[in-house]
Structures are given as structure tokens and as C-alpha cells.
């Protein structure tokens, strides 16, 4: 992987930070982006190898996203991998009480942000020589099975699946592969309260198992390491005993 160029969004914490560090360790040149410059620098310093570029950006802002990709182009001249990871869970509230402001925050980050970054990646990958690259979108088990009181998150992640399929289809002529990884209960700040108890589909509150984030990282590295002639269209990685996905509950 030495010399390949990757861009990871949401690289200041959680899955994004772990993926960015692992790509650096594997010899990739990695652009790390997120809202907090200090957290991006922390991620880059924690890696044991690779060449890092930290670029604070807001994935919901088209101008900020353009500037981000311009920085990658100016530094390395190409992009081989985009990991669309930036996302927020949002408030927990019944549909009838969910605020418009919260809806916009979640959808703008999880869906519009992924689209804006994919759009810029498409432009770079289509025009560069050699042509092509790979986009990996962070979906969720909520792209298949929603949790109660998470209407914005579930809707945004269902929509990410549609984005992934469209990118995969339209990327074919340009050697642009696009796949999606759906994660269930990786141990990050977002899932920090799951061990104490999480609302279930039947209205009860139960603790849920989590898995080490390294298992997600390994899945991303596998997808990223494939030749562009092969693609993982959709992969699910979840804590084995988590409820409400396989079976009824």
C-alpha cells in the first residue's frame, strides 16, 4: 500500500481515527479531516508510519469540502481511497417530537456530507492518471433495521445505501469502486452507554454487547486492499450477540 493516498472523514475520534491510524501504519499517505484540528493531530501522532495531512473541514459545507480535496490534490496529486466515515447519531426522540433542527443536523452530516465528499472524490478519481479509486461508505445496522426513536439516523443510513449503490453503478466506466460497511456496536464514544442499557424494539431497556473497533478496521483494510477489479459491495460487521438484528425482538 506504500504511496497510495487515502482520505478519511471523521478522523478525529472513533472508527475514523482507528481507520486513519491503521492506514498510516500500513504505509498509506492519509489525509485526515474532521471539525477539531487538535483531535486530527492526535490521531496522526498516534500512528506508527505513513505520511499524514490534517485538514480541518466541515463535510456539510460544499466550499469546505472543495477546499479539503484541493488540499489533497495540491499535496499528492491524486486520491486512491475515500473513507466516508463522518457521522452523528443525533437526539433520541419519538417521531412526532423530533425537531427539524436535529433532523437537519443528522441528515446533513451523515448523508449530504457523504455525498459532497463522494462527488469531489469522483471528480479526482475520474480525471487522474492512472484513473480510478475506491470509496467506502460507513453505513450502519440502522441501514437495515432501525432503533426506536432514531428516525433521522435510520433514514440517513438507509439513504447512504442508495448513495453507495449509485456510486458503484456510475463509477464502473471510470474504475471507481464503491462499497459500504455496516457496523453494529463497535466500542466507541457513540456506543459508550450501550453496556448500561439501550432502548429495545419491545420497549425494554437492556445492555448490549460491543466489539473492539479493530474488527471494523480490519474489514476496512481488507476492502481497501482489493484491486479495483474486485469490490465488496456491502459488508456487515457486528458484535455477535447484539439483539434486534438477526431474528425478532
Amino acid at each position: 500500500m506504500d504511496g497510495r493516498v487515502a482520505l478519511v472523514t471523521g478522523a478525529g475520534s472513533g472508527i475514523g481515527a482507528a481507520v486513519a491510524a491503521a492506514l498510516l501504519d500500513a504505509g498509506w499517505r492519509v489525509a485526515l479531516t474532521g471539525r477539531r484540528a487538535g483531535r486530527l493531530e492526535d490521531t496522526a501522532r498516534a500512528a506508527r508510519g505513513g505520511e499524514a495531512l490534517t485538514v480541518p473541514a466541515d463535510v456539510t459545507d460544499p466550499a469546505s469540502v472543495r477546499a479539503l480535496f484541493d488540499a489533497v490534490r495540491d499535496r499528492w496529486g491524486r486520491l486512491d481511497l475515500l473513507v466516508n466515515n463522518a457521522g452523528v447519531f443525533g437526539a433520541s426522540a419519538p417521531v412526532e417530537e423530533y425537531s427539524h433542527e436535529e433532523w437537519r443536523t443528522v441528515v446533513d452530516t451523515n448523508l449530504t456530507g457523504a455525498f459532497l465528499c463522494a462527488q469531489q472524490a469522483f471528480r479526482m478519481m475520474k480525471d487522474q492518471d492512472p484513473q480510478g479509486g475506491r470509496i467506502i461508505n460507513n453505513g450502519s445496522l440502522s441501514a437495515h433495521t432501525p432503533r426506536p426513536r432514531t428516525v433521522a439516523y435510520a433514514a440517513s443510513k438507509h439513504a447512504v445505501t442508495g448513495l453507495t449503490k449509485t456510486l458503484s453503478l456510475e463509477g464502473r466506466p471510470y474504475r471507481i469502486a464503491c462499497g459500504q460497511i455496516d457496523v453494529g456496536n463497535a466500542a466507541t464514544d457513540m456506543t459508550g452507554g450501550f453496556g448500561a442499557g439501550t432502548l429495545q424494539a419491545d420497549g425494554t431497556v437492556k445492555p448490549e454487547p460491543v466489539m473492539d473497533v479493530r474488527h471494523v478496521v480490519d474489514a476496512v483494510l481488507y476492502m481497501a486492499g482489493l484491486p479495483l477489479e474486485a469490490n465488496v459491495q456491502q459488508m456487515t460487521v457486528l458484535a455477535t450477540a447484539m439483539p434486534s438484528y438477526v431474528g425478532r425482538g
Side-chain angles (χ1 to χ4, degrees):
M1 302 304 170
D2 287 351
R4 282 181 158 183
V5 178
L7 168 59
V8 182
T9 70
S13 62
I15 291 173
V19 166
L23 287 169
L24 285 166
D25 290 345
W28 290 72
R29 294 178 288 181
V30 182
L32 300 85
T33 193
R35 294 177 181 268
R36 296 168 291 182
R39 297 294 294 270
L40 299 176
E41 295 290 347
D42 290 344
T43 300
R45 282 194 295 268
R48 297 185 298 274
E51 180 184 349
L53 172 67
T54 59
V55 187
D58 178 358
V59 298
T60 71
D61 179 0
S64 184
V65 172
R66 284 194 298 271
L68 165 64
F69 280 79
D70 285 344
V72 175
R73 185 183 292 106
D74 292 344
R75 178 68 170 267
W76 291 310
R78 65 178 293 107
L79 179 66
D80 299 290
L81 172 68
L82 167 64
V83 181
N84 253 333
N85 168 76
V88 295
F89 193 72
S92 176
V95 170
E96 69 274 16
E97 297 176 13
Y98 213 91
S99 73
H100 177 257
E101 291 77 13
E102 190 70 16
W103 171 273
R104 286 295 304 271
T105 296
V106 175
V107 173
D108 285 353
T109 305
N110 297 357
L111 177 59
T112 304
F115 162 72
L116 291 174
C117 290
Q119 184 179 56
Q120 292 298 323
F122 241 70
R123 290 169 178 168
M124 283 187 67
M125 292 172 177
K126 181 179 176 181
D127 293 341
Q128 64 196 14
D129 184 19
Q131 189 182 62
R134 188 179 305 276
I135 298 170
I136 300 174
N137 290 331
N138 188 343
S140 170
L141 293 195
S142 290
H144 309 272
T145 307
R147 291 183 178 276
R149 300 189 175 189
T150 61
V151 61
Y153 185 78
S156 70
K157 292 301 186 178
H158 274 71
V160 166
T161 301
L163 175 66
T164 299
K165 291 179 178 180
T166 302
L167 296 173
S168 185
L169 176 64
E170 295 194 19
R172 288 175 184 172
Y174 312 110
R175 300 186 74 246
I176 300 173
C178 184
Q180 179 170 319
I181 182 165
D182 295 322
V183 178
N185 287 13
T188 65
D189 291 344
M190 184 179 288
T191 61
F194 283 15
T198 305
L199 182 64
Q200 304 297 309
D202 61 1
T204 62
V205 175
K206 298 178 181 177
E208 293 191 10
V210 296
M211 63 179 175
D212 194 290
V213 71
R214 182 67 209 186
H215 305 310
V216 182
V217 171
D218 289 342
V220 173
L221 291 177
Y222 167 70
M223 294 169 74
L226 289 172
L228 294 179
E229 290 72 29
N231 188 40
V232 174
Q233 186 62 44
Q234 199 153 11
M235 178 189 290
T236 302
V237 181
L238 73 163
T240 303
M242 70 173 294
S244 302
Y245 179 66
V246 179
R248 303 187 183 196

